[in-house]
Amino acid sequence: MPQHIKRLVSAFAVVIILFLVMQQVLTPASFGKLGHYRADAIPENEMKTLHYAGSAVCTNCHEEMQTDKALGFHAQLQCEACHGPGLKHALYADKFKDKELPDSLKLHKPDQRKDCALCHEINAARIKIVFDTINNTMIHQVNTLKHNPVNKRTNEKVICIDCHNPHQP
Ligand code: HEC
Ligand code: HEC
Ligand code: HEC
Ligand code: HEC
């Protein structure tokens, strides 16, 4: 075998051996047990604290909102997309039926203009609906200042939910 090929082969051999050694050292122990991922990732994620309950749980106690929502443009939105994480609320609110909820169990009420603008304000980076053929997949954007201008004389701001029912806009 010519000298330069021998050198090339040994250089390759060194690289391959190095790779195999590094692979042994760096691969986490539980990798590949269940698939092409770390099996330990499952118990690790199970241990994380839960914050969200999911709309199905909210419906147990607030059926009216769910019924309203299912018929309107917000049908696809999760309750907690607007009201924030509500697992603690869902677990303990029942004890306070017909009483005022303690602050720790109160949920965000997104009744300010900026709350709706979060999703509906014109945003150049977001796809605009040109032909409204794909219902409920893209968000209608409005210029919140023009659509619902501030009263210039009184400087009074009408909030969106004065006209739109948030659960059935
Ligand atoms: C076990 C029953 C129960 C579940 C489940 C539940 N709630 Fe409630 N919720 C209540 C009670 C009780 C109140 C306070 C009295 C009332 O308004 O009827 C309340 C009040 C609220 C309020 C008004 C709070 C305020 O500060 O005035 C909102 C908003 C709300 N719930 C949203 C949700 C959402 C979102 C979920 C799902 C994550 C949910 N709830 C799950 C029982 C429940
Ligand atoms: C688009 C955002 C949005 C979504 C989605 C939404 N809500 Fe609301 N919700 C609001 C706003 C805004 C208010 C305050 C209404 C008001 O003050 O008149 C509110 C009020 C409430 C209240 C208090 C009603 C009262 O009379 O005080 C409850 C309970 C509630 N929502 C439950 C739910 C549940 C359950 C879901 C899911 C089925 C849900 N909401 C989905 C925006 C939303
Ligand atoms: C988490 C995002 C989100 C928030 C917050 C939100 N919306 Fe929506 N909204 C949507 C989506 C998604 C649709 C369905 C697509 C569409 O029709 O634009 C929708 C639809 C609508 C429509 C119907 C538009 C049409 O097709 O004619 C109105 C009106 C509306 N929302 C008003 C509101 C108001 C008022 C608030 C504040 C209480 C609000 N939205 C908060 C996501 C949101
Ligand atoms: C004075 C009443 C009023 C207020 C306040 C109001 N709207 Fe509207 N909105 C309407 C009416 C009426 C329509 C339907 C006619 C139209 O498209 O202009 C509408 C339509 C919409 C649409 C659908 C637009 C489309 O492209 O089809 C969205 C989204 C919307 N409003 C969001 C909002 C948001 C967000 C706010 C708060 C910043 C708000 N609205 C405040 C009356 C109002």
Side-chain angles (χ1 to χ4, degrees):
M1 202 190 280
Q3 186 72 13
H4 67 283
I5 299 286
K6 272 188 200 161
R7 286 202 183 136
L8 200 61
V9 167
S10 48
F12 265 104
V14 168
V15 169
I16 290 168
I17 289 168
L18 251 175
F19 173 79
L20 292 174
V21 170
M22 295 294 272
Q23 195 190 26
Q24 283 303 314
V25 174
L26 295 179
T27 308
S30 69
F31 184 85
K33 261 190 202 160
L34 300 173
H36 196 74
Y37 60 92
R38 232 166 23 90
D40 285 351
I42 296 174
E44 274 168 27
N45 279 298
E46 275 173 352
M47 278 184 320
K48 285 184 183 161
T49 333
L50 297 177
H51 298 287
Y52 289 88
S55 292
V57 176
C58 312
T59 313
N60 288 337
C61 302
H62 302 291
E63 209 182 326
E64 189 194 322
M65 277 77 192
Q66 172 60 22
T67 324
D68 276 0
K69 197 167 74 68
L71 296 171
F73 282 105
H74 279 168
Q76 310 296 333
L77 291 190
Q78 292 283 320
C79 312
E80 288 160 302
C82 287
H83 289 292
L87 181 63
K88 226 164 93 185
H89 171 93
L91 289 175
Y92 304 113
D94 228 10
K95 293 187 186 141
F96 298 91
K97 219 169 184 133
D98 307 318
K99 276 183 256 163
E100 220 207 314
L101 289 175
D103 281 349
S104 63
L105 293 185
K106 273 192 184 147
L107 289 180
H108 174 54
K109 264 200 198 174
D111 55 5
Q112 301 301 303
R113 292 163 59 89
K114 64 172 170 41
D115 292 318
C116 309
L118 207 63
C119 289
H120 286 291
E121 179 63 271
I122 288 179
N123 178 344
R126 217 180 254 158
I127 303 172
K128 285 191 188 58
I129 300 182
V130 182
F131 304 106
D132 189 14
T133 49
I134 322 166
N135 261 328
N136 290 4
T137 51
M138 287 179 267
I139 299 181
H140 274 99
Q141 298 159 42
V142 288
N143 181 332
T144 47
L145 287 177
K146 276 192 190 148
H147 172 61
N148 174 19
V150 179
N151 185 327
K152 290 213 176 74
R153 207 150 38 84
T154 59
N155 208 19
E156 182 193 10
K157 288 179 185 168
V158 193
I159 55 173
C160 314
I161 59 172
D162 284 347
C163 298
H164 297 281
N165 172 355
H167 300 127
Q168 205 182 97

